[in-house]
DNA sequence: ACCTGAACACCGTTCAAGT
DNA sequence: ACCTGAACACCGTTCAAGT
């Protein structure tokens, strides 16, 4: 009898890709070795033939997501638009796969492919005229801001009962919270509006450019 | 017979403070209802008389940590040094209690006490001359950068086997990673050096100040 | 009123056994 | 070689019972 044929194609990569799909659909909390194995139509312990433990599998999931969106090529662009594209892409990738944030938070990923974006960013900042140290610090700041933005991008899967802030904002005593009591809803709406990430990113790039000009000694 | 007397003082606050201590010592992964109850010398189910579920307990832990470090008073200071102190304090609090990062990441906290720092920050930015929207966006950028910085501050409890990057950095092919292959260790060392957080914070404040001056119309 | 043991439906992982 | 059921030491939470 012809089998479904799923098991015959089992590999580290196939398992990681399926895990990423599971993550996108059900979230990090729901991803267990037992459920992933069931999804793949194999016994739970089969997965341990491909990965030492769950952490090693999650590392492979991060790599699978990284491979999905290669670091863009420079193609002669100026440092600033290129750097901006690097980080907008990283932000989009993390927002597309929100589960990755939790994985990378628990234990920083240090693989060669994870360093590709770092290399590209440092190169761009060197071209901008920053010293090695200023470039390293500036890229780290951009990375941390991008990661923080993605971490707070969406209350993962359940906005069930309306905006969770509304009741709290309405209850703030105006004497102690003059701004939020009056305009809290607008403030919160601004935060989740499109362009918020890019706004902060452009602030950082403004400051980096200003310092680069200073270092250059040009007027 | 005189009991140890621990149970008689049980309250939401006492439980939350003990949970925070447990979190600091053993990390978020290790904190279970069973172990916390054992720590307090009560049965596991006793905790459910004070909190509906674990999430509600974790919210109380965040509040306990927030109460520990009140939002500093303005006391007539200029907007920029004050705003800087607000965020340096938040960063220090998150680094002092690394488990809080994981809690707040899973589900944004929206309590009145969590909004205190927002109110203070928005007030400072209004004094700087930013519009309501620019102030809301700038504060959000500062908050997200600060949170991201704290999230990557320390690989929680185990740097066991030396720097985890060393081997990976040494293996990067210089042709594709010219900067990191040559100076990877210095780059990574710069990231974890004291002052990295403040460096990025000052970049953001520089850009905010520059835009504020522009809005003012002053030369 | 306040507390709690037993039980249920889950985890990740080890081990010894299957083919 | 590759796969896997049973078992172990855990979870959060419900329920019914204790005082």
């Amino acid at each position: 009898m012809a089998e479904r044929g799923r098991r015959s194609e089992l590999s580290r990569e196939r398992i990681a890709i399926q895990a990423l799909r599971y993550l996108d659909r059900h979230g990090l909390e729901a991803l267990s070795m037992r459920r992933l194995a069931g999804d793949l139509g194999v016994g739970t312990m089969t997965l341990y033939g491909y990965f030492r433990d769950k952490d090693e599998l999650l590392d492979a999931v991060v790599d699978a997501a990284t491979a999905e969106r290669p670091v863009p090529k420079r193609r002669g662009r100026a440092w600033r638009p290129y750097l901006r594209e690097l980080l907008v892409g990283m932000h989009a990738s993390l927002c597309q796969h929100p589960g990755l944030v939790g994985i990378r938070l628990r234990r920083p990923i240090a693989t060669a492919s994870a360093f590709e974006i770092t290399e590209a960013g440092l190169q761009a900042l060197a071209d901008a005229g920053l010293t090695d140290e200023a470039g390293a610090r500036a890229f780290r700041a951009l990375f941390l801001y991008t990661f923080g933005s993605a971490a707070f991008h969406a209350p993962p899967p359940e906005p069930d009962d309306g905006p969770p802030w509304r009741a709290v904002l309405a209850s703030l005593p105006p004497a102690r919270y003059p701004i939020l009591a009056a305009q809290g809803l607008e403030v919160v709406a601004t935060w989740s509006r499109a362009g918020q990430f890019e706004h902060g990113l452009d602030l950082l790039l403004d400051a980096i450019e200003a310092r680069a000009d200073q270092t250059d000694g040009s007027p």
Side-chain angles (χ1 to χ4, degrees), chain A:
Chain A
M1 285 65 96
E3 301 260 344
R4 303 274 298 286
R6 286 186 293 178
R7 284 175 48 202
S8 63
E9 301 171 34
L10 215 53
S11 69
R12 281 176 65 97
E13 201 196 357
R14 249 190 64 73
I15 294 170
I17 288 171
Q18 189 66 22
L20 181 59
R21 290 169 55 87
Y22 195 97
L23 212 59
D24 292 344
R25 273 205 281 262
H26 306 102
L28 181 54
E29 318 266 302
L31 178 65
S32 75
M33 299 300 271
R34 283 165 152 101
R35 286 205 264 245
L36 176 59
D39 227 41
L40 289 160
V42 299
T44 304
M45 293 316 301
T46 302
L47 300 179
Y48 288 84
Y50 295 86
F51 301 94
R52 183 196 314 277
D53 54 23
K54 193 180 180 182
D55 277 348
E56 197 179 289
L57 191 158
L58 292 180
D59 283 354
V61 173
V62 173
D63 259 17
T66 304
E68 209 180 58
R69 186 189 292 266
V71 172
K73 299 286 172 211
R74 181 79 175 262
R75 301 192 196 287
R77 267 171 299 173
W79 70 270
R80 182 165 172 162
Y82 179 63
L83 198 52
R84 193 176 195 277
E85 185 185 347
L86 284 182
L87 291 153
V88 167
M90 173 182 151
H91 184 255
S93 176
L94 288 171
C95 291
Q96 188 181 346
H97 306 294
L100 296 188
V101 174
I103 299 175
R104 301 187 58 165
L105 184 120
R106 261 205 280 279
R107 169 180 82 291
I109 307 296
T111 59
S113 63
F115 276 122
E116 270 181 55
I117 192 172
T118 305
E119 177 71 30
L122 292 176
Q123 184 57 252
L125 287 163
D127 292 348
L130 296 197
T131 65
D132 292 345
E133 188 188 339
R137 297 208 120 144
F139 183 77
R140 186 64 169 173
L142 289 163
F143 173 89
L144 295 172
Y145 166 69
T146 301
F147 195 91
S149 292
F152 280 92
H153 191 253
E158 40 199 344
D160 278 8
D161 41 13
W165 296 295
R166 200 178 293 272
V168 177
L169 286 171
S171 76
L172 297 178
R176 286 180 48 204
Y177 299 81
I179 296 182
L180 286 172
Q183 326 170 23
L185 286 176
E186 289 91 328
V187 168
V188 168
T190 297
W191 291 348
S192 56
R193 195 143 56 231
Q196 169 64 45
F197 167 68
E198 288 82 356
H199 181 86
L201 181 58
D202 289 331
L203 285 177
L204 280 169
L205 292 172
D206 277 0
I208 291 166
E209 182 165 7
R211 297 210 183 175
D213 291 347
Q214 227 171 305
T215 310
D216 277 351
S218 54

